[in-house]
Amino acid sequence: MKSPSAPKSKYRRVILKLGGESLRGKREHGISPETCDAIAKELKEVRALGVQLAIVIGGGNIFRGAAGTKRGLDHVTGDYMGMLATIINALALQDALEKNGVPTRVQSAIEMRAVAEPFIRRRAMRHLEKGRVVIFAAGTGSPYFSTDTTAALRASEIGAEVLLKATKVDGVYTADPKKDRKAKRYERLTYMDALKGRLQVMDSTAFSFCMENKIPIIVFNLFKHGNIARVLRGEKIGTLVS
Ligand code: UDP
């Protein structure tokens, strides 16, 4: 897997946060197997950099608690439904990765032993040391949180050096780059900038958790080929929040 001449990753262990929407492709909802396959191929390439990769997967392409609450669903029930959605996504991503020859384990924060291991921190770290990609599903297992906060939490728990927040744009901008052509990308931000600016890219619980536990966040565009590898090699793409 690791060729001696391949440029190395700047990081030993990372958490990649993939929003559920990133699996949707061009569909309105749900999962695009082609998109999962494309992401899996990208991830397969970065393993050659010798990095230990754990993924926290979201559920927004299937269900978000907030969407249910708006229509009168009980908040906590909606959040559990959202967490179950992340398990569906985790299985889709696992399937795509394994079809591409990448060994994986799914660990779920809500026990579902027929399809995933329960989340066990030490076992997750052992999988990573053995070169397996670990996919964390079901968020924190508790309602009222997001999978961004889960990514921050798991990063701390397993000793990841950085949280890679994959998005559809090149980083954090002064305005929405899809609406405002003058919008400029920030190369660096402090956690405080992110919190005060109420940046849409992650919720404030996730940002403050990263701040307290000194986990740098790199916000970058997942949909540019080779970007994950660039981030891992330490190239200055996206926006660094530290
Ligand atoms: N969720 C939760 N607790 C968690 C993580 C997620 O209750 O620890 C629920 C919440 O309802 C959320 C949904 O699961 O809306 C899907 O997660 P998220 O919105 O973070 O997914 P993403 O936007 O990354 O696709």
Side-chain angles (χ1 to χ4, degrees):
M1 150 195 140
K2 204 155 94 181
S3 94
S5 57
K8 294 278 183 315
S9 169
K10 185 179 166 189
Y11 310 100
R12 188 181 66 96
R13 181 176 290 169
V14 303
I15 285 267
L16 173 67
K17 165 64 211 296
L18 287 179
E21 298 280 347
S22 57
L23 306 187
R24 184 166 56 89
K26 292 196 172 80
R27 290 163 177 246
E28 261 185 45
H29 297 288
I31 297 165
S32 153
E34 298 78 19
T35 305
C36 292
D37 182 62
I39 294 172
K41 289 199 160 57
E42 194 93 2
L43 295 177
K44 183 181 180 163
E45 276 179 32
V46 306
R47 287 180 72 243
L49 302 175
V51 68
Q52 295 180 16
L53 178 68
I55 300 171
V56 170
I57 184 82
N61 55 324
I62 300 172
F63 194 83
R64 278 202 183 92
T69 322
K70 255 191 217 161
R71 291 190 217 112
L73 191 73
D74 173 66
H75 188 134
V76 173
T77 303
D79 277 347
Y80 276 114
M81 289 166 69
M83 287 186 269
L84 295 180
T86 73
I87 301 179
I88 297 176
N89 283 337
L91 296 183
L93 191 61
Q94 174 174 51
D95 180 72
L97 282 164
E98 300 236 327
K99 280 191 176 127
N100 280 282
V102 180
T104 62
R105 293 290 187 273
V106 176
Q107 288 205 344
S108 173
I110 295 175
E111 281 209 21
M112 205 181 278
R113 285 177 184 265
V115 295
E117 290 179 6
F119 169 64
I120 299 172
R121 171 182 172 260
R122 291 173 68 94
R123 191 186 278 183
M125 297 199 294
R126 186 82 186 112
H127 289 320
L128 292 170
E129 281 155 11
K130 286 190 169 173
R132 298 169 186 142
V133 172
V134 178
I135 305 170
F136 292 122
T140 58
S142 298
Y144 297 101
F145 290 101
S146 67
T147 51
D148 284 344
T149 301
T150 309
L153 173 66
R154 295 285 182 255
S156 301
E157 285 177 293
I158 66 164
E161 296 140 271
V162 66
L163 192 172
L164 308 179
K165 164 77 185 179
T167 66
K168 285 179 186 161
V169 288
D170 288 337
V172 181
Y173 283 78
T174 51
D176 184 347
K178 289 200 168 127
K179 293 181 189 150
D180 184 349
R181 287 179 57 208
K182 285 189 191 145
K184 285 214 165 63
R185 175 171 62 89
Y186 294 108
E187 277 186 23
R188 288 193 74 142
L189 285 171
T190 65
Y191 298 113
M192 268 304 169
D193 293 332
L195 283 167
K196 282 187 195 147
R198 294 195 164 272
L199 300 181
Q200 298 292 312
V201 64
M202 282 198 348
D203 56 86
S204 55
T205 315
F207 275 128
S208 53
F209 193 95
C210 287
M211 180 167 77
E212 273 167 35
N213 295 286
K214 300 190 176 57
I215 303 156
I217 306 156
I218 301 176
V219 182
F220 73 102
N221 191 338
L222 174 71
F223 294 98
K224 279 197 180 152
H225 179 66
N227 254 3
I228 304 178
R230 281 184 202 105
V231 173
L232 291 175
R233 284 195 299 258
E235 288 180 32
K236 287 194 172 51
I237 63 161
T239 300
L240 170 69
V241 185
S242 64

